[in-house]
Amino acid sequence: MKILVVDDFSTMRRIVKNLLRDLGFTNTQEADDGLTALPMLQSGDFDFLVTDWNMPGMTGLDLLKHVRADDKLKTLPVLMVTAEAKRDQIVAAAQAGVNGYVVKPFTAAVLKEKIDKIFERVDG
Amino acid sequence: MAELNIEPHAPSFQQEMKQLAEDLLQKIEHGDLGKVVGVVNSINEARDRTLYKEIGKLTRGLHESIKNIKTGDELSEESGMGQASDKLSYVIEMTDKAANRTMDLAEEGMPLNQENLDGSIELQEQWQKFLRKELKPNEFRDLTKKVDAYFSQTQANSKKIGSQLSDILMAQDFQDLTGQVIQRVTKLVAEVESRLVDLVAMAGEVDRITGITHTETHQTETPQEDSNNVLAEGPQIDTSIEGVVEGQDDVDDLLSSLGF
């Protein structure tokens, strides 16, 4: 399972990568915003995308929209891990086709639960 | 912080105007037109003087409050605002460093702890065998050696983990420093805000003295919230605000109501 972690803060990328490693996902790569993430997704065979929302360049929501609009990427499971906590925003992310939404600050257990849920649904 | 005193209609100015006006009336009644022009000029001068004085005061006040952000040991001549953003960059840098230091230490400690755990599990298995009298004499000799090695290993690991934990504690010292910096920047923002309020009041007085009237400028249209373009707003500090979720449970409820 190859996972791309997108966040503009390196510490948050590191935390997410650590948690993913604890969950048994060791094949992770990083990008610091949507603009760097999108070409990586298009050229690399990623199985899962974990992205922040608020980033310079291209936001996570725009990245999600680009992913859903791309024939090759449109079925890629996307988990949003973000501090954005308004109902409108969560609804917008859902409408854009997000597979899971975790608000920061979050716990390892919450991240695990959402990832398990996403793969249950994708595999099932 | 020097108090800013905005009194464009201070008694001296009003008295001066009153006197000049009376003088002007007198001159007109006497038909002394040459002198009338002189008095009109004096009125203009008095008005300009007051205006410049107040604008000067205000500029000085603004400058002072911006200068206040500078602490003694800083040599740079940059503006207060420039320094404020430098200070905030320093906060980001400090918190980044502390977070990485903490994660480095935790990552170094985790395998040591795992080593202790693995060793203990292995010894326990053999110890249980011994208690069940299933251990052969040569296996027992092996076990005693392993126990001995385990003591040395756990002691060394525990010492390392202890010092890592204490370094993790020390890495939190950024909170004090960044807290102080943020307090300074917060103070600058509050000061600038109060100066701006003064500026608005001053502008109102300037208008009053000079008799300038403004045609009401229409508010530039507030950008319509485009439902297709919901913007990022950063962390919500107050979760009691309408439309803000209180935590992951709220998010889950909302998503499940949307069929997730």
Side-chain angles (χ1 to χ4, degrees):
Chain A
M1 168 94 67
K2 195 170 160 193
I3 304 175
L4 184 64
V5 178
V6 191
D7 198 306
D8 52 335
F9 280 89
S10 64
T11 46
M12 189 45 73
R13 293 200 297 271
R14 199 170 159 187
I15 289 170
V16 172
K17 277 182 75 170
N18 258 305
L19 291 171
L20 289 172
R21 200 192 49 216
D22 284 351
L23 297 175
F25 304 111
T26 49
N27 190 4
T28 49
Q29 287 191 27
E30 302 177 30
D32 60 4
D33 84 327
L35 288 179
T36 44
L38 196 57
M40 287 174 79
L41 290 169
Q42 281 161 342
S43 62
D45 46 342
F46 286 96
D47 304 296
F48 186 35
L49 169 63
V50 179
T51 182
D52 183 24
W53 180 323
N54 195 3
M55 295 179 288
M58 188 196 289
T59 66
L61 185 67
D62 286 338
L63 176 62
L64 172 62
K65 288 175 182 170
H66 276 92
V67 164
R68 290 292 174 254
D70 186 317
D71 267 347
K72 206 183 130 215
L73 298 174
K74 64 184 174 197
T75 59
L76 180 73
V78 179
L79 176 67
M80 206 163 242
V81 179
T82 174
E84 304 301 327
K86 280 195 153 177
R87 288 173 177 277
D88 298 350
Q89 294 173 317
I90 298 160
V91 171
Q95 284 166 348
V98 83
N99 299 82
Y101 198 102
V102 173
V103 280
K104 294 177 192 168
F106 60 95
T107 63
V110 165
L111 189 71
K112 179 178 173 7
E113 182 200 325
K114 301 305 161 201
I115 290 175
D116 286 348
K117 214 169 154 192
I118 287 172
F119 286 108
E120 251 170 53
R121 203 171 283 132
V122 169
D123 297 338
Chain B
M1 168 169 119
E3 261 319 301
L4 195 64
N5 213 3
I6 304 169
E7 289 183 282
H9 47 295
S12 59
F13 176 62
Q14 280 196 345
Q15 272 166 14
E16 198 181 354
M17 278 298 177
K18 199 177 164 207
Q19 214 169 25
L20 285 166
E22 278 164 8
D23 203 16
L24 182 66
L25 205 64
Q26 223 175 30
K27 297 280 187 311
I28 291 170
E29 274 165 4
H30 284 102
D32 206 344
L33 286 180
K35 283 181 181 161
V36 165
V37 175
V39 177
V40 169
N41 281 340
S42 301
I43 290 175
N44 274 335
E45 269 171 33
R47 188 200 61 180
D48 288 351
R49 231 187 302 122
T50 313
L51 214 72
Y52 292 140
K53 212 167 72 192
E54 293 308 324
I55 290 172
K57 264 192 213 164
L58 192 82
T59 313
R60 260 198 317 280
L62 268 172
H63 192 68
E64 278 300 311
S65 74
I66 284 173
K67 248 176 29 191
N68 278 351
I69 188 73
K70 294 183 183 176
T71 54
D73 56 340
E74 281 159 328
L75 299 166
S76 144
E77 283 299 314
E78 272 180 67
S79 72
M81 280 301 179
Q83 290 205 358
S85 55
D86 281 355
K87 279 173 185 293
L88 291 178
S89 307
Y90 167 79
V91 170
I92 295 175
E93 197 188 302
M94 289 285 285
T95 50
D96 181 81
K97 229 169 75 186
N100 278 304
R101 173 102 183 102
T102 304
M103 287 190 280
D104 285 343
L105 288 160
E107 281 177 7
E108 282 168 26
M110 280 174 196
L112 301 180
N113 183 52
Q114 191 63 44
E115 213 174 80
N116 286 351
L117 181 64
D118 292 345
S120 162
I121 289 170
E122 195 199 334
L123 284 183
Q124 195 184 27
E125 278 169 11
Q126 301 203 19
W127 184 248
Q128 298 290 340
K129 259 186 167 180
F130 168 73
L131 289 178
R132 293 196 299 267
K133 305 196 168 33
E134 293 168 3
L135 223 54
K136 290 168 196 145
N138 62 328
E139 284 177 330
F140 182 76
R141 270 195 301 278
D142 213 33
L143 176 59
T144 56
K145 274 183 208 154
K146 274 186 184 160
V147 168
D148 207 39
Y150 183 69
F151 285 148
S152 314
Q153 178 207 304
T154 48
Q155 280 169 26
N157 285 353
S158 294
K159 270 184 202 157
K160 277 189 215 155
I161 292 170
S163 93
Q164 283 154 351
L165 289 176
S166 113
D167 286 351
I168 284 176
L169 282 184
M170 292 309 294
Q172 312 311 311
D173 64 354
F174 74 91
Q175 170 63 24
D176 173 33
L177 305 171
T178 56
Q180 290 185 44
V181 168
I182 290 171
Q183 274 169 355
R184 277 177 177 279
V185 174
T186 310
K187 204 172 145 230
L188 171 84
V189 171
E191 266 175 34
V192 169
E193 189 195 16
S194 98
R195 299 292 170 183
L196 286 175
V197 169
D198 287 347
L199 183 68
V200 171
M202 174 67 192
E205 288 303 332
V206 169
D207 284 355
R208 212 175 60 81
I209 296 170
T210 55
I212 296 170
T213 54
H214 298 276
T215 49
E216 203 58 44
T217 46
H218 281 284
Q219 283 274 311
T220 43
E221 274 178 51
T222 45
Q224 277 288 311
E225 188 90 352
D226 183 355
S227 60
N228 289 323
N229 190 23
V230 175
L231 297 174
E233 297 180 24
Q236 297 292 337
I237 291 155
D238 184 0
T239 55
S240 66
I241 294 171
E242 174 84 26
V244 174
V245 297
E246 268 189 52
Q248 189 63 40
D249 288 346
D250 274 4
V251 177
D252 295 348
D253 289 348
L254 179 59
L255 287 178
S256 73
S257 76
L258 293 168
F260 270 72

